[in-house]
Amino acid sequence: MNDELPVLIYDGKLICPYGDCGAADEIVELDVATRENALSISDDGKISAHLGDSTFESDGFECSQCRRPVSMPDGYEITHA
């Protein structure tokens, strides 16, 4: 069973789903080599990942404020810019 809570989306921001955190726009995509990839809501309502380079290999998501793992909400896809 997956114990990661899905990210909340409110007013065009990605919100940490943990009640004792709730940080806005602090959700990142993790790389297998411990790098992070910033995420944001794009104009068309999709979640955009801002790649630093083409060798990024996704290994999940977390809140960079509280460092807990999160998942993407149903119905949203990640696009890489």
Side-chain angles (χ1 to χ4, degrees):
M1 180 167 170
N2 188 350
D3 58 351
E4 299 168 352
L5 294 177
V7 170
L8 304 172
I9 297 179
Y10 180 73
D11 199 24
K13 298 181 186 314
L14 298 168
I15 309 294
C16 178
Y18 296 97
D20 61 341
C21 180
D25 284 339
E26 295 291 332
I27 306 301
V28 295
E29 182 179 29
L30 301 174
D31 177 74
V32 294
T34 67
R35 295 179 289 174
E36 295 179 352
N37 192 8
L39 300 175
S40 65
I41 300 289
S42 64
D43 291 335
D44 59 3
K46 294 182 179 168
I47 298 172
S48 295
H50 309 283
L51 294 175
D53 64 55
S54 62
T55 62
F56 195 92
E57 296 179 57
S58 184
D59 191 36
F61 306 94
E62 78 176 13
C63 172
S64 64
Q65 189 72 33
C66 69
R67 295 290 178 198
R68 285 182 274 194
V70 297
S71 63
M72 289 298 106
D74 289 338
Y76 281 86
E77 64 181 79
I78 303 293
T79 59
H80 292 90

